Amino acid sequence: MLYVSHREPLTKVLGPGQRYALWLQGCKRRCPNCIFPNGQPLDCGGQWHSVKKILSEIKSVPNLTGITISGGEPFLQAAAVAKLIKNLRGESNLDVMIFTGYTLAELQEKHNAAIDFVLNNIDILVDGEYREELNTNSLYRGSDNQIFHCLSPKYLPFKDLIARTKNRSLEFVYRKDSEFFMVGIPPKNFEQIFLPKLLKE
């Protein structure tokens, strides 16, 4: 089972191409100005979903490039994430991207079988805690201490270009009877500068 905070069937702002995005609930870190504080509580704020259900949802979306898993902290649910990826690899050609507050070295040093399986079977890992002072609007990274790791060859030719790009996009989702949800990594000071203007318009 996966403890899920939010999911979007199709987004273009959380990784290359068209992606299914999955936010897992729960994070033990408390990075100042976290872009998704609602995803921090460990024992509330999420809903339990079976890996089978999530996999079925992913497979029902046409023309996907891959999936992106964020949080919260995905590696707090490493066993369930590993199960999802194992099934995904066996039933599709979709690539997998994960955002984590851990560094790659910290994950490797845990010597955990589920974590090792995940790292050996995903294409992209964006690692490290968010640091407000290092937010320079880098593509796919909240702050420049975070690294865009190509753990498979698929996106390796684009790694340097992605690392140099200072451009982010956001998507805003509102469904009937549901709350407003922002998808993507916002520019620095977004809440203070851009959000009031957006709400005013």
Side-chain angles (χ1 to χ4, degrees), residues 74-91:
F75 285 96
L76 292 182
Q77 302 184 50
V81 172
K83 183 177 179 180
L84 175 64
I85 292 171
K86 181 178 180 180
N87 283 276
L88 194 68
R89 290 303 193 198
E91 300 178 27

Side-chain angles (χ1 to χ4, degrees), residues 2-20:
L2 288 160
Y3 194 39
V4 177
S5 175
H6 188 83
R7 57 198 194 278
E8 285 295 333
L10 186 63
T11 178
K12 296 181 180 180
V13 300
L14 284 176
Q18 301 191 127
R19 313 188 69 82
Y20 178 100

